[in-house]
Amino acid sequence: MMHQPTLQRRLAILLLVSVPLIWLVSTGVAAYVAHHEVDELYDTQLTLFARQLLIVNMGEHGDDLPLLPKTKKLIRGGDRGEAEDDDIGLAVWNADGNLLLSDGKGRRFTFDASRRGFYSVRADDGKDEWRLFYLPAPDGTRLVAVGQRQKLRHEVVVKVIEGQLLPWLLGLPVLLLLILWAVRKGLRPLQQVAGELGQRSVLDSTPLSENVPGEVLPMVQALNALFARIAEAMEHERRFTADAAHELRTPLAALQVQAEVMALMPDEAGRQHALQQLQLGIQRATRLLAQLLALSRLDPLQGLLSPQPVDWQQISRDALSDVTTAAAAKDTVLETHWQTSTKAVLPLNGDATLLTLLLRNLLDNAVRYCPAGSRIELLLLADEVVVQDNGPGIEAQWLSRVQERFFRPPGQEMPGSGLGLSIVERIASLHGLQMQLSNRDEGGLRVSLQRAA
Amino acid sequence: MRILVVEDDPLIGDGLKMGLSQLGFVVDWFRQGREGLAALTAAPFDAVVLDLGLPGMDGMDILTAWRKAGQDVPVLVLTARDALDDRLKGLDAGADDYLVKPFALSEVAARLRALIRRRHGQTSNRLSHGRVSLDPVARTAWLGEVPLELTARELALLELLLSSKDRVLPRELIEEKLYGWGQELESNAVEVYVHHLRKKLGAAFIRTQRGVGYALGEPA
């Protein structure tokens, strides 16, 4: 559990990676946009400034340049704001390149009569980069250059970015904590469910509370459905075990009683009778055990292991050979009718051993419950396998119940486990077949196996 | 002592009938619930062995019906279900005792005798009248210290007389107690057994109430 990536950790990592990335990109975009805007603003100002300088008629001073002292001195104690004289400059030359007017760093601007428009220039000391705007007079008598340290513009952009970045950087941990808190709070119902499940007893089938967030509800509902199914399965098991115990006690009681009777009987005839009864009881217990084992092996099967094309000829021969002795002892006639070619009978992939067991159970039932001298028919048809007899049939009210485990219609002379038809039905359903029981109009029982619809 | 057995299982029913007969009981066995229900009133049974899982009519229903009809015959219930709940249900429905399958035949016999004895208010197992005593378990009777040579029917008659002191037993009742249904019965069988017992215990031991039946007479 500890090594599993938790939702919390995943979210934290996702946030820690994606948020800075998004900020980086958005900062880049912001820087670009800010740069552009600042350039536009300042370039416009420079252009305007240069035009104004051209308009002013300052004569031909040449040698007699008016020089202003620093602004600081001019306003002497007044508020200078954030202004910096050394960051800007202007120069006006006549056509010969004589400086007519300059201010700030303008004296250092280079005269070049061919220059027009904006230039980015590195200053002589190589440190500062300047943005210069050259504007010649229309008559060519003068050239104006105005300029500004690039640093000034960078500073504006940086300040704008910083102003944007700082709250984000400060907000990141807070955001992270908030998200983790929300996740933890959101996952609490899951932990509650886990806690409930952890303390749950195996036999507890009460549903979990469905008072959970929508995301968890499907899981809780699925779990509740599972609990219900498990409870049903366990109840089924419990009933089967109780029934099996009940059914095993009865033949054991019979053996015990008959063994005691045998010891009590004073005469040989009585002892012989008890011995016969004892043997009958042993046969019955053996048969019950075999049926119980068969059923317990069939029960957990989800499907057939390796289905093979079924050879009904072989299966019917094997099943019939197991009951011929019992049938002969009761003068019961066993008949097999192939109403189609042997290859064409109910084509099926399946397990021959199981199908033989199925058929033997049906034939055995017929022999067992039909009076002596009855006629039992095995019909092999293209879409159906039928075992029918001309015995007493099954009372209509019990027809639907005889497949129930351990159920036997009342008034049985013959001992039986009440499991035979359960086994038949289980094997049939494993093969996708459906067992149908009906009483024949002419008397007798008809058990049919058909492909389930 | 005549016992009604209601048990659907052929082997257990047959075993109970054969075994209990050997142990000195007269046994009638029915396999169907409804037959068993009706049989109780048809003969003077001393006790009933009732299986709970019966076809046709459940053993519990039969028991309830009997008790509702005022039948107080002791009933020993046989059940394959050993859950406490099932046993309690049986006792609540009016069973006097129960046995869980598989059981020993000797235990069925012992419990039946105990139930019958309790019903007659006897505390001792041994029945006696004067010097004559009878052990129902050992199926033996004594005159003083000397064991009596008695046939099973003679012993049964003696047991019947000893357990019904101060009562005149009608001849028909004696016949019904000594013979189950379907058992061959000669017309003067009771007189024959009375005669045999008188020969062995003295003529005055059994008193004849003319036109009614027989009762215990002078102690031997």
Side-chain angles (χ1 to χ4, degrees):
Chain A
M1 208 54 198
M2 289 305 288
H3 301 290
Q4 293 282 356
T6 65
L7 274 180
Q8 289 187 34
R9 193 181 304 174
R10 272 193 215 186
L11 269 174
I13 290 172
L14 195 74
L15 281 172
L16 286 172
V17 171
S18 68
V19 167
L21 216 67
I22 291 168
W23 287 347
L24 215 64
V25 170
S26 72
T27 303
V29 171
Y32 174 80
V33 170
H35 231 291
H36 187 263
E37 290 300 315
V38 168
D39 274 350
E40 193 179 310
L41 180 66
Y42 281 132
D43 284 357
T44 309
Q45 275 182 0
L46 282 181
T47 312
L48 193 65
F49 186 22
R51 288 177 69 99
Q52 283 168 344
L53 278 174
L54 267 187
I55 291 165
V56 177
N57 188 359
M58 57 196 66
E60 294 287 332
H61 289 286
D63 312 318
D64 185 18
L65 281 175
L67 263 177
L68 279 177
K70 296 256 182 192
T71 314
K72 190 162 56 173
K73 287 183 183 159
L74 285 174
I75 60 174
R76 202 169 298 267
D79 185 0
R80 191 158 62 100
E82 302 281 329
E84 192 63 68
D85 287 344
D86 286 346
D87 285 349
I88 51 169
L90 65 91
V92 183
W93 298 277
N94 64 15
D96 302 328
N98 295 320
L99 196 61
L100 300 180
L101 182 70
S102 80
D103 193 21
K105 296 285 180 183
R107 195 182 296 274
R108 296 200 192 161
F109 294 171
T110 317
F111 173 77
D112 183 341
S114 66
R115 285 192 174 177
R116 304 269 184 288
F118 285 96
Y119 294 88
S120 283
V121 175
R122 198 156 286 278
D124 303 337
D125 54 12
K127 268 200 290 187
D128 289 327
E129 209 181 358
W130 282 74
R131 177 83 166 164
L132 296 182
F133 182 64
Y134 284 84
L135 184 67
D139 56 359
T141 53
R142 274 177 294 168
L143 178 65
V144 170
V146 290
Q148 197 179 28
R149 263 190 229 268
Q150 283 282 29
K151 193 183 81 183
L152 207 67
R153 299 186 176 200
H154 290 320
E155 275 173 7
V156 173
V157 173
V158 167
K159 289 291 176 206
V160 168
I161 302 297
E162 269 181 4
Q164 188 196 12
L165 201 61
L166 207 62
W168 280 66
L169 276 175
L170 291 174
L172 176 63
V174 177
L175 188 64
L176 207 62
L177 285 175
L178 275 174
I179 286 174
L180 288 182
W181 174 79
V183 167
R184 195 164 294 198
K185 191 173 161 61
L187 291 179
R188 193 164 300 149
L190 264 184
Q191 285 170 347
Q192 251 166 18
V193 169
E196 267 186 63
L197 286 177
Q199 291 180 350
R200 215 178 163 80
S201 106
V202 188
L203 298 171
D204 191 355
S205 62
T206 52
L208 294 170
S209 160
E210 295 196 352
N211 186 16
V212 292
E215 289 87 346
V216 189
L217 188 59
M219 192 189 77
V220 169
Q221 283 172 335
L223 274 173
N224 282 343
L226 178 68
F227 291 151
R229 284 201 304 278
I230 289 176
E232 199 180 316
M234 291 214 324
E235 173 57 21
H236 187 260
E237 279 298 298
R238 196 198 60 72
R239 223 176 315 133
F240 181 74
T241 316
D243 285 343
H246 175 265
E247 293 302 316
L248 280 169
R249 280 172 196 281
T250 303
L252 277 180
L255 292 181
Q256 167 122 23
V257 167
Q258 290 294 343
E260 281 183 83
V261 168
M262 201 172 145
L264 279 173
M265 280 309 190
D267 56 315
E268 185 56 28
R271 278 196 291 275
Q272 276 302 320
H273 172 79
L275 182 62
Q276 273 170 18
Q277 297 283 63
L278 206 52
Q279 282 164 341
L280 248 163
I282 291 169
Q283 277 169 26
R284 192 173 77 175
T286 309
R287 188 177 136 86
L288 172 62
L289 211 57
Q291 301 274 59
L292 268 177
L293 282 177
L295 204 53
S296 71
R297 288 202 192 99
L298 285 171
D299 253 356
L301 287 188
Q302 299 288 320
L304 297 167
L305 285 180
S306 50
Q308 304 272 328
V310 162
D311 177 2
W312 282 104
Q313 199 169 15
Q314 182 66 41
I315 288 172
S316 58
R317 197 161 44 212
D318 288 351
L320 281 166
S321 75
D322 287 327
V323 295
T324 36
T325 319
K330 289 181 78 175
D331 273 335
T332 296
V333 182
L334 286 170
E335 287 177 3
T336 310
H337 299 285
W338 298 89
Q339 295 190 356
T340 178
S341 80
T342 56
K343 295 265 178 274
V345 171
L346 193 62
L348 196 67
N349 282 330
D351 183 318
T353 316
L354 291 182
L355 288 173
T356 309
L357 177 64
L358 177 154
L359 215 50
R360 187 171 58 218
N361 264 295
L362 289 181
L363 292 168
D364 187 60
N365 270 353
V367 172
R368 194 176 281 268
Y369 297 112
C370 283
S374 297
R375 172 199 224 73
I376 297 165
E377 291 169 305
L378 170 60
L379 311 180
L380 296 135
L381 319 177
D383 56 353
E384 201 180 8
V385 170
V386 177
V387 174
Q388 60 183 27
D389 58 56
N390 58 355
I394 296 176
E395 259 186 77
Q397 57 173 324
W398 309 124
L399 257 183
S400 61
R401 291 196 59 196
V402 287
Q403 284 125 291
E404 286 176 24
R405 287 174 184 196
F406 299 115
F407 179 83
R408 304 187 70 222
Q412 300 282 346
E413 283 295 321
M414 290 301 297
S417 63
L419 289 174
L421 286 178
S422 302
I423 292 172
V424 169
E425 194 176 44
R426 182 79 188 112
I427 295 175
S429 79
L430 280 173
H431 285 85
L433 296 175
Q434 202 174 12
M435 176 179 76
Q436 274 180 333
L437 293 156
S438 54
N439 286 313
R440 302 168 72 195
D441 293 337
E442 58 269 50
L445 186 70
R446 177 187 157 97
V447 186
S448 130
L449 294 164
Q450 291 176 40
R451 224 175 277 282
Chain B
M1 284 175 287
R2 192 160 174 182
I3 307 291
L4 172 65
V5 173
V6 189
E7 163 66 75
D8 66 315
D9 187 278
L11 293 182
I12 296 177
D14 172 81
L16 284 173
K17 185 175 164 70
M18 305 298 280
L20 289 178
S21 299
Q22 283 303 311
L23 292 171
F25 296 90
V26 176
V27 181
D28 288 295
W29 168 34
F30 291 92
R31 295 187 57 183
Q32 296 276 330
R34 285 176 206 292
E35 293 171 12
L37 175 75
L40 187 65
T41 49
F45 289 104
D46 294 291
V48 179
V49 178
L50 178 66
D51 180 44
L52 282 191
L54 289 171
M57 189 174 184
D58 187 63
M60 206 78 85
D61 299 335
I62 295 177
L63 190 52
T64 311
W66 278 340
R67 293 304 186 225
K68 208 174 270 177
Q71 288 282 358
D72 61 346
V73 181
V75 174
L76 170 64
V77 158
L78 298 180
T79 172
R81 306 211 175 261
D82 62 349
L84 180 66
D85 200 36
D86 293 313
R87 288 180 282 167
L88 291 181
K89 257 189 271 175
L91 292 177
D92 282 343
D96 296 274
D97 203 352
Y98 67 85
L99 272 175
V100 177
K101 293 178 185 175
F103 49 81
L105 193 56
S106 45
E107 190 169 5
V108 176
R111 294 208 184 200
L112 284 175
R113 274 189 218 103
L115 287 177
I116 294 166
R117 201 165 63 229
R118 208 182 303 154
R119 190 173 178 225
H120 291 307
Q122 292 168 302
T123 47
S124 163
N125 192 18
R126 197 69 88 89
L127 301 165
S128 61
H129 184 61
R131 290 171 60 225
V132 175
S133 61
L134 184 145
D135 184 341
V137 181
R139 307 306 299 162
T140 316
W142 293 268
L143 182 58
E145 297 299 313
V146 186
L148 288 165
E149 296 241 342
L150 297 175
T151 66
R153 286 259 152 74
E154 289 164 6
L155 195 72
L157 175 59
L158 181 58
E159 187 179 7
L160 184 60
L161 288 166
L162 289 176
S163 58
S164 322
K165 282 182 187 169
D166 313 323
R167 263 185 75 197
V168 178
L169 298 169
R171 214 182 70 124
E172 297 75 30
L173 179 68
I174 296 174
E175 279 175 0
E176 283 176 328
K177 291 272 185 191
L178 295 192
Y179 290 89
W181 280 305
Q183 285 181 328
E184 202 93 4
L185 172 69
E186 297 123 58
S187 60
N188 60 346
V190 174
E191 283 85 346
V192 172
Y193 295 129
V194 168
H195 175 71
H196 288 169
L197 280 182
R198 276 180 174 152
K199 267 208 326 207
K200 288 168 185 170
L201 299 170
F205 189 78
I206 297 171
R207 185 160 53 83
T208 304
Q209 190 87 21
R210 204 156 296 280
V212 184
Y214 301 95
L216 273 182
E218 303 294 318

